Amino acid sequence: MTEEVYIGIDLGGTYVRLGAFDAEGNLLAIDQALIEAQRGPQAGLARIISLIEAMLDGLVAQGGHFELAGIGFGSTGPVYPETGVIDNPYTLPTWENVSIFEPLQTRFGAPLTLENDADVAALGEYWMGAGRGVKRLYAITVGTGIGAAFILDGRIYRGVTGAHPDGGHQVIDPSGPQCYCGLRGCWESLASGPAIARQARARIDEYPNSMLLEMTGGNPAHIEARQVAEAAVTGDPLGLAVMEQAARYFSLGVANFIILFLPDVIVLGGGVMDSLDLFRPALERMTADIDVMVPARKVRIVPAQLGYHAGLYGAAWSVMQKVNGTPV
Ligand SMILES: [Zn+2]
C-alpha cells in the first residue's frame, strides 16, 4: 500500500529543519542542517531539495511505499504565501525576493505552501499541540525575537494584502530602547532573549556580587538570557530584578491581546519560555487586573507542547489542508 507523506519545513536564520508526516500526523522522520544564507538562495534551495530527497529515500529504505503528497514551508518573514516568495534579507542575508515554489515545483511537482514561521508554529500547536482544536488560539514564541500568530477557526488570521500582523513590534514603552524596526520600546526589544541579556549587562554595576559575573568568567559582555533566568531561579538579586522586569513587560503585551481578542488559549513557546515559571506571577497579576473589564481569567495561558517541532507540524498541516481543499 502506498502511503501519502507530507514534508514540513521550518526555515530560520541559522537552521533549516524538516519533518516527514503521514496523513494522521505521525512524525516519520526528522532532519536539520545549517542554512548558511550568505552563500546565496540558490545554494540554500539546492541544499533543501537534497535534504528532502534524502528524507524520502530514507523512508523508502525503511521498507515503506511512500508518495510525496505535499511540501509545506514556514519561513522567517517577510514571506508572500500567495506567490511563494521569501523576501527576508534581514535574517536570511541575500534572500531577497526568492521564489521557493518554482524550484520545488520543478523538482517534485507536489502541492506547496509557504507561511510565516510564527504562523506555522501556531498551526502546529493547533493541530497536534497545546491548542488542539480550540476556536481562538494565540501563539507567542519568545526567543531572539517575539513571534506571534492568531489562529481563528483553524485558519491563520491574515491582515490586509494577506500580510502577517507582527505583534512582536507592538509598543509597550514609548520611552524604551530603539528597535531595528524604527519604533521605540517594542515588545521584543523589552522581553526577548537578547533584551533580557542586555538589561542584565546594563545593570551589572548595581549588583557587584551577582553570580552572573562568576557564570560569565567575570565578563558581563558574555551574559545570555538563559543564564539570567538560571541566576533568578537560585535567588540572585540581579537575575530576579531583570526577570521580574522582563515578565512585567511581557505580560503587558499579553494583556493587550487578551483585551482586544479574548482568545480561548494563549500558547507560550520558544527558548525564553523554558523559564515560564519566572513569568507566571506577573501574568497572574496582569490577568487579575484586567479581569475587571473582560473575562481574562477564562483565557488559558499554557506552555507549548511541540517545542522546536511546532513549525514542522504546522507547515506540514498547512499543505495537507490545501490538498484537502480547506486551505488555512
Ligand atoms: Zn520593533
Side-chain angles (χ1 to χ4, degrees), residues 168-169 176-186 188-189:
H169 295 275
Q178 181 71 46
C179 176
Y180 66 88
C181 75
L183 294 167
R184 279 187 171 277
C186 300
E188 77 168 39
S189 69

Side-chain angles (χ1 to χ4, degrees), residues 4-7 67-71 110-111 319 323:
E4 287 182 340
V5 60
Y6 296 86
I7 302 284
E67 182 187 80
L68 179 62
I71 301 170
V319 73
V323 170

Side-chain angles (χ1 to χ4, degrees), residues 281-328:
L283 286 167
E284 274 160 25
R285 271 197 307 277
M286 171 278 291
T287 309
D289 285 347
I290 63 175
D291 197 66
V292 178
M293 297 309 295
V294 294
R297 282 199 178 96
K298 295 265 191 279
V299 177
R300 290 188 293 125
I301 301 178
V302 300
Q305 284 179 1
L306 301 175
Y308 290 116
H309 296 168
L312 303 181
Y313 278 87
W317 196 63
S318 75
V319 73
M320 210 177 278
Q321 292 299 93
K322 182 179 181 179
V323 170
N324 293 338
T326 50
V328 294

Side-chain angles (χ1 to χ4, degrees), residues 23-37:
E24 279 74 52
N26 296 304
L27 182 56
L28 308 172
I30 195 159
D31 199 4
Q32 71 169 42
L34 288 169
I35 188 64
E36 299 178 304

